[in-house]
Amino acid sequence: MIEQVVRQCLKVADVDTLVISDSNEVLSLFKTYQIRTIKTGQCNSGTERIVSVLDDLKHYDYIINVQADQPFVSPDLIRQSFQVAQTIQEDKFLVTPICHLDYENALRPSCVKTIIDLNNRAIYFSRSLIPYTNSPEKVLPYYGHHGIYLYNFAALAAYPNLKMGQLEQRENLEQLR
């Protein structure tokens, strides 16, 4: 699966693709592809993994984490994430593309739901059905996010100073930090 994810990422022109992993097996696979790899220790999330090697990534303004379980990730979605990032004026930020979910997928805990405000900014992520409804006929639109996180460097540099809160622990979702 990870090999397919990397193939999709390689379709994005003008973007360096790196594989960052704690698995020697995974890293050796990509050495044969002549892709830059970085070995890490054990980490709790992809964001922690990237932060653990941030010194090796200092020359990047933006770092995108495409999760290894996204074999059908769209190269256009990656490109669009970079385009959105270049328009953001904030010091520290995260871009994660969202999509509409049908009711059946919204019920699945493995499908992360996203609540957005009127400006399409994410205000919460959950494995639970949000917003709650007791009637499938009265469903508001459900949104989920793709397994992509684009950070600017400053956001990743600040990440180790942020404490894991109860919501991140309960939901097991790193983007809540």
Side-chain angles (χ1 to χ4, degrees), residues 103-114:
Y103 184 69
E104 290 74 29
N105 278 317
L107 292 172
R108 295 179 25 224
S110 62
C111 189
V112 176
K113 276 61 75 181
T114 308

Side-chain angles (χ1 to χ4, degrees), residues 91-111:
D91 291 342
K92 300 174 190 81
F93 62 84
L94 158 68
V95 173
T96 186
I98 62 169
C99 58
H100 283 276
L101 294 176
D102 60 31
Y103 184 69
E104 290 74 29
N105 278 317
L107 292 172
R108 295 179 25 224
S110 62
C111 189

Side-chain angles (χ1 to χ4, degrees), residues 46-164:
T47 303
E48 280 187 17
R49 187 171 309 288
I50 291 168
V51 167
S52 76
V53 296
L54 209 51
D55 284 344
D56 294 327
L57 307 173
K58 285 182 181 174
H59 60 285
Y60 294 107
D61 294 327
Y62 308 112
I63 299 164
I64 191 164
N65 174 9
V66 178
Q67 301 198 340
D69 63 352
Q70 299 294 314
F72 305 111
V73 65
S74 163
D76 287 335
L77 197 56
I78 295 171
R79 245 186 311 279
Q80 289 168 9
S81 297
F82 278 104
Q83 290 168 348
V84 167
Q86 292 170 353
T87 68
I88 297 174
Q89 301 296 314
E90 297 170 30
D91 291 342
K92 300 174 190 81
F93 62 84
L94 158 68
V95 173
T96 186
I98 62 169
C99 58
H100 283 276
L101 294 176
D102 60 31
Y103 184 69
E104 290 74 29
N105 278 317
L107 292 172
R108 295 179 25 224
S110 62
C111 189
V112 176
K113 276 61 75 181
T114 308
I115 293 292
I116 57 172
D117 66 15
L118 294 174
N119 297 312
N120 289 325
R121 294 178 64 129
I123 56 175
Y124 193 69
F125 299 91
S126 181
R127 295 186 183 282
S128 297
L129 184 66
I130 54 172
Y132 170 77
T133 183
N134 59 3
S135 170
E137 295 81 39
K138 297 181 183 177
V139 172
L140 291 171
Y142 288 106
Y143 298 99
H145 83 97
H146 299 275
I148 298 174
Y149 305 107
L150 183 147
Y151 299 92
N152 70 336
F153 189 88
L156 285 168
Y159 192 85
N161 299 322
L162 302 173
K163 297 206 183 310
M164 182 185 293

